[in-house]
Each structure stands twice: as structure tokens, then as C-alpha cells.
Amino acid sequence: MRLKNNAFRESHMEKYYVTTAIDYANAPPHIGHAYEKIAADIIARYQRLTGKKVFFLTGTDEHGSKVEKAALAAGFESPLAFVDETSSKFKEAWRRLLISNDDFIRTTEERHKKVVQEVFRRMRAKGDVYKGKYAGLYCDGCEDYLRETDLVDGKCPNHQRPPQHSEEENYFFRLTKYKEPLRAWLQEAECHVKPDGRRREVINQLDDPELGDFSITRSRKSLTWGIPVPDDPDHVIYVWVDALTNYITGVGFQSDEEAWNTFWPADLHLIGKDITKFHAIYWPAMLMSADLPLPKLVFGHGFITVEGQKMSKSLGNVLDPVYLAETYGPDAIRYFLFAANTFDQDGDFSRADMVATVNKHLAMGVGNLLNRVVKLLDTHFEGTVPAVSIEQGVLDALEKDTAEFRTFMDEFEFAKAIRSIFEIVDKGNKLLSEREPWKLLKEGKLEEGGQVLVTAMTMLKRIAILLSPITPRLCAGIWDQLGFDSNIESVIFRSSEFTDPILAGQKIRNKGRVFEKLDELTENPAPVPTA
Ligand code: ME8
């Protein structure tokens, strides 16, 4: 197992294991999937910055009737050939959006099949699995069992179509046995489900007497595309039991003892608000049954709409993240999504707003600050940092803004964290406009002018580091122009590289604009091609 920051070798380090939901491989990725993967990436990069050894897992959910039907509809003879193609589109999208995952799990992999079967065996050995008859409604859009009371006008409210009636012999999981321990876990002082509104919602679901044992298999007669039940090949394992188990497969359960002992339990399962029940009820109950430790935190983020509307194939407004990354660059998408939206609430992606926001903040705010500083250093100091001292007040203010940034990042309040960085950007631009170093230098006041420039450089150094989890490419560019030879991704808060002042003699590299202004593109966004 190789980690992004090579931290695995240092055993004394604190660890952080972050996962995303694994996306259904029934269609290519859309911007909602990208929103979650970018968020997890921002968290992973930030945790690396704090000096933790991080493991970041994402992947695709490839079994079940929804995927099987999509494969057939797309004219594929085997679902496997179909998911091979779809999962590669997810991988490609994450590469283009600079997602730094350490592994990408596919639920059709052999390593996963073994783990799912082992979890099933453990739950059965515990006496928590029994055979029974299932008669009820199933929505394969949700891959979930519905009740009459869940329906609106006879249809699944999420997928606007009637569920199927299904009647078959299934294996059931004794969820009812775990209701009490689950309630205790959900009410522990250390919150395991956030935001708090979601936690209360889950407790209400648990209190509902109708939430009973649930079916964890499908008969092979109705579904073949799944992992076989151990010792009973007439049944395949329910796709949610299969999917949730990815979180332990991906971190070496029964295959890589060192990784498993290091990283489990997960520090964070990052998921969308629609799948909290599976992660905060089913999954911890399965883990209790299998005698495995529970995750520390499940966080349910909000949903993203496009230009104020829910995405749908029929509206043709499903946004393709590859198209967006190609058209605007990864930093613009990453920045806008998290500067403009509140992570635990629903948000929106609007192209005009994105263009206006990144032009103002990144091109004008950060880009101009850098540009003015390196140009003046080039012209008046031959690109070499002069020897000056920085006022203590400036350094204290940087520490204050950094502390604020960290507090917000620890709570996944990305928009507020970004605002803390812009406190520094604004101070930097104000410093230049008030002190007018270009005038000082023209008048021959080299020491005074140089001091202003190195102060602004010190601010830019901090801006580059703090903003790097959000806009990694832009920040690598700033780092380079400031004249650092190291990789910005190797910086951690407690390293001397973070705290050291910029030394006299450092050579800056004036390479022109670090972030080009985006044009107001007028054509319609390309819809996601059907798989
Ligand atoms: O639920 N905005 O897969 P999925 C924000 N395979 N997030 C969104 C979104 C939107 N518009 N649309 C979807 C599944 N998501 C299962 C997960 S995990 C063991 C199995 C989020 O492809 C959604 O909430 O339907 C989920 O967290 C993720 O994208 C994958 O959704």
C-alpha cells in the first residue's frame, strides 16, 4: 500500500481514514458525485497538511439490479464489460479534478467478494441471519425496500416511478437485536452522525417500530448480478450489504494487516444526505454483528442543483465533471463549489456565478497580488528577495487567520475556512495599495519598498499553503513563482518549511499570470453522455 504523502513509514503519526460513497456504475459521473469527491479530497489534503498519515478511499458500486438493467439497456452482453467502461469514466473524472485518492475500489473485484462473504459468514455465525419470506415493495432506483407509506401517488418519491412488488425467500438480518446499542451509539457525547439534524432524523428512523429486520439477499431467480451467498448459490447478497463493506475491503481487512490495524475504524464516511440510513443504521449494525469497531463519524452533505434546478436526464441538465474540468480547469470548479455553498446544506452550481466568483477571487484577488509582487521584485531586485524584517503584527495576524481557518476546516465549514484565507488576501492587497511600493522603489527607497514586497510574499506563502487543499494546481503555481523548490504537497503545519520566514537571497520566478481570467462562455453545458 502506497500513500500519497509517503507517511506510512512513520508509525508514530496520527492517522486519518476518509471514505466517500461509492458511486453506482449505472451511468457516468455527474457534478453531484464530483462535489462529494472534491470535498473528500479537500479533507484528505488538509489532514495531510496537519501531518497525519491519511488514507483516502473512493470507488464504484457495481452490483445490483439498477446496474444490471442499465447494462442490458446499453446493449452490453455482460454487466462486467459495462461496469468496466463506466468505472473507468469515474476514474478519469477524478484524475482530471485532481482527486488524490489512495485507492479506487470496485465492488466486482475478487478482494471485495471475499470480504463481503466473510462478513456474511460472521453475521450468520452470530445467529443474526435467518431465512424468511419477503413480500413487499422494492425500488431499484434506491435499491431499497419501500413501504406503502413511503410512496407518493403510488410512486417512489425519489425516482418518480412505481416500485416493483416482490415476493421471494430471502435471508434476513436481525436489525432489531441492535436497535438499543445503535441508539446508545447515536446518542454518545462524541457525535457520530453529523450534521445534528441528520443525527436526529436517524434516531427517529430507529424509533419507528416499522423499522424491523431487513432482507440481505435476493433470490438468484430475480437477480443474478451480485455476490453469491456463501454455501447457498441460489441467493445473492443485497447490494447495500455488498457496497457498505467496501469500506473495510479497501483498507485491507483480512488482506493487509498493517493497513487494517493502522486505519480502521474510519475517521470519516462522507456521504450524501439521501443515504444516511444505510450508513448510520445498517452499517454500524452489521459491524456490531461482525464484531468490528464502528466508524467515528458519518457526515451527510447537502445536494447540488444546476442553475437552480434538480439534475435530470429529461431536463438535459446533468453536468459532466470531465467537461467542466476541461472547459474551466479543475481549480475553478473546486473553488466555486466550496466557496459558494454551505457544505451541510443544499447548494447550487451556476456557470455565470462560477465565472464571476473565480475571476474576482482567484484571478483578481490572489493572482494580481502575486503578479504585482513578483514583477516588482524582478524589476527592482533582479528577482532576488532582499534582506528585511517582517513586522510582528503581520506575523501575529497570519497566525490568527490560520487558526481560524483550521477551526472551520475541522468542522467541514469550507466556505468559512476560505473566507479566513481571504482575510489574508485582502490584507495583502490593502498593504500594496496603501504603501504603494512601486512609488517607494521609483523614489529609490529600496529598503522600505523591499520590506513591503517581502511582507506580501510572506502572506502569499501562507495563502498558497492554506488554499492548496482547495485549489492544488493554482497553489503549486504560486509556490513555484515565489521561488520554492520543494513540492507544496510535502509541507505540513509543524515543519520548518511552514514556519520559516522567506530568506533573503531566494530567487522568485516571474512566470506571468498564475490564474487566467475565465471567459463568460455562452454555449450550453454538454450533458452527460449516456453510458
Ligand atoms: O447512493 N449533489 O450511489 P449514487 C450532491 N452506490 N451529492 C449527490 C448528488 C447531488 N446532486 N447526487 C448524488 C449510491 N450525490 C450508492 C452508495 S456507499 C456504500 C453506496 C451523492 O451514485 C449521493 O448522496 O446514487 C452519494 O453520497 C453519492 O453521490 C453516490 O450516489
Side-chain angles (χ1 to χ4, degrees), residues 316 318-320 323 351 524-528:
V318 181
L319 266 186
D320 174 1
Y323 164 84
R351 292 202 310 166
N524 283 325
V528 170

Side-chain angles (χ1 to χ4, degrees), residues 382-394:
E382 294 173 339
T384 306
V385 174
V388 294
S389 59
I390 309 290
E391 282 169 28
Q392 193 55 44
V394 170

Side-chain angles (χ1 to χ4, degrees), residues 1-3 8 55 102-103 249-252 256 258-260 263:
M1 180 170 286
R2 280 182 54 219
L3 299 180
F8 204 33
F55 191 73
D102 294 288
D103 200 353
T249 308
V251 79
D256 183 338
E258 190 180 358
W260 172 251
F263 290 109

Side-chain angles (χ1 to χ4, degrees), residues 167-238:
E167 204 167 325
E168 57 183 37
E169 188 176 63
N170 283 168
Y171 286 94
F172 282 74
F173 174 70
R174 239 181 258 287
L175 180 69
T176 41
K177 177 173 155 189
Y178 294 97
K179 277 195 165 192
E180 274 317 310
L182 278 171
R183 190 172 291 109
W185 180 71
L186 287 165
Q187 284 169 340
E188 273 174 23
E190 183 199 340
C191 226
H192 297 296
V193 177
K194 284 185 184 172
D196 202 51
R198 297 267 157 242
R199 186 175 67 99
R200 277 183 270 121
E201 193 180 276
V202 170
I203 294 174
N204 286 341
Q205 286 170 334
L206 197 64
D207 285 340
D208 183 344
E210 279 197 39
L211 182 80
D213 297 345
F214 67 99
S215 160
I216 52 165
T217 63
R218 302 283 305 276
S219 156
R220 214 173 236 292
K221 284 187 218 117
S222 59
L223 178 74
T224 54
W225 187 233
I227 297 176
V229 168
D231 314 315
D232 194 348
D234 291 341
H235 299 264
V236 296
I237 294 173
Y238 174 39

Side-chain angles (χ1 to χ4, degrees), residues 17-89:
Y17 176 31
V18 52
T19 67
T20 69
I22 49 171
D23 305 313
Y24 283 125
N26 65 321
H30 57 61
I31 195 170
H33 295 132
Y35 182 63
E36 180 177 285
K37 276 57 191 180
I38 298 170
D41 186 60
I42 291 174
I43 294 165
R45 288 175 184 270
Y46 168 70
Q47 291 296 341
R48 290 185 198 114
L49 196 52
T50 68
K52 291 189 190 136
K53 58 180 155 189
V54 172
F55 191 73
F56 169 16
L57 181 70
T58 188
T60 38
D61 187 354
E62 304 188 356
H63 288 126
S65 51
K66 175 172 169 141
V67 171
E68 189 181 50
K69 278 186 187 161
L72 281 175
F76 280 77
E77 271 178 28
S78 95
L80 189 58
F82 173 74
V83 292
D84 280 348
E85 193 176 297
T86 328
S87 72
S88 69
K89 291 181 182 165

Side-chain angles (χ1 to χ4, degrees), residues 297-359:
L297 181 63
V298 172
F299 188 98
H301 60 75
F303 260 43
I304 286 292
T305 50
V306 172
E307 312 287 349
Q309 279 186 310
K310 196 175 161 188
M311 272 181 290
S312 81
K313 265 194 195 165
S314 51
L315 286 176
N317 65 346
V318 181
L319 266 186
D320 174 1
V322 172
Y323 164 84
L324 289 174
E326 243 172 29
T327 312
Y328 302 102
D331 285 330
I333 314 297
R334 294 173 63 108
Y335 182 79
F336 176 71
L337 281 173
F338 293 94
N341 294 304
T342 305
F343 192 49
D344 64 4
Q345 291 163 28
D346 290 343
D348 187 52
F349 179 85
S350 138
R351 292 202 310 166
D353 281 356
M354 180 192 67
V355 170
T357 305
V358 300
N359 282 350

